[in-house]
Each structure stands twice: as structure tokens, then as C-alpha cells.
Amino acid sequence: MNNQETILQLEELKLRGMADYYKSMLSQPVNEWPSIDMFAARMAEAERQYRNTKKTEMYLKTSKLRYNSMLEDVHCSNERNLSKDTLCN
């Protein structure tokens, strides 16, 4: 089985995170590839991160939040009883 068929099968199985990781591995020199057990572990981790990101994007899209904000945008002051330490913990 060649590499393109493997990528197509992963995408057909809706394992897009694994397919993306496999593509990135193919672009590296062969001597920099990890061992087979590490390769499998990294592919599984890539798929988990991909699904987690997609789920978060879906929740943000359906939440209908009025503003796009980041944690860094929160104004911390004594009047609000907020500090950077309490936000990060």
C-alpha cells in the first residue's frame, strides 16, 4: 500500500488528525521518523487533539456569544476583586 492510499483511507475513516500527522511525517527525512510505537502514540494524540479542537470550535459557534474575547482581554483590578493569578488558577 502506498502513502497516498493510506492517507485516503484515514480520511475516509474520518481520522483527519491522524491523516494530517501522517502527511507531516512523510515530509520529514526518514532518519528523523520516530519508532513504530512512538509513531502510533503520536498519531493517536494528533487525532485526540484534532477532535478536541473541532468540538471546541463547534461549541463556540453554537454558543452565539456576542463578542470574541480572550482571557488576556479581561481587565483585572481591585475594584473588580480580580487579579491575574486568580484568573489563571
Side-chain angles (χ1 to χ4, degrees):
M1 179 181 300
N2 68 19
N3 295 331
Q4 189 60 32
E5 288 178 12
T6 303
I7 292 169
L8 290 174
Q9 285 182 353
L10 287 170
E11 289 176 348
E12 184 180 301
L13 291 169
K14 297 183 180 178
L15 298 171
R16 292 185 186 17
M18 286 185 178
D20 290 342
Y21 180 75
Y22 190 70
K23 287 178 198 175
S24 71
M25 284 303 303
L26 292 176
S27 66
Q28 293 182 357
V30 176
N31 62 347
E32 292 183 12
W33 287 7
S35 62
I36 190 69
D37 58 333
M38 188 60 74
F39 182 74
R42 287 182 183 172
M43 279 185 71
E45 178 65 21
E47 182 63 28
R48 188 177 66 78
Q49 286 179 352
Y50 176 82
R51 290 182 182 202
N52 212 3
T53 301
K54 285 297 181 186
K55 184 170 59 172
T56 302
E57 288 173 358
M58 185 266 307
Y59 284 149
L60 284 173
K61 185 177 179 181
T62 59
S63 67
K64 299 179 183 175
L65 294 174
R66 184 179 288 179
Y67 304 109
N68 291 331
S69 61
M70 304 279 291
L71 190 60
E72 293 83 23
D73 297 337
V74 176
H75 296 289
C76 297
S77 67
N78 289 337
E79 297 165 353
R80 298 184 72 192
N81 198 19
L82 279 177
S83 68
K84 294 269 184 196
D85 296 331
T86 57
L87 286 178
C88 295
N89 293 333

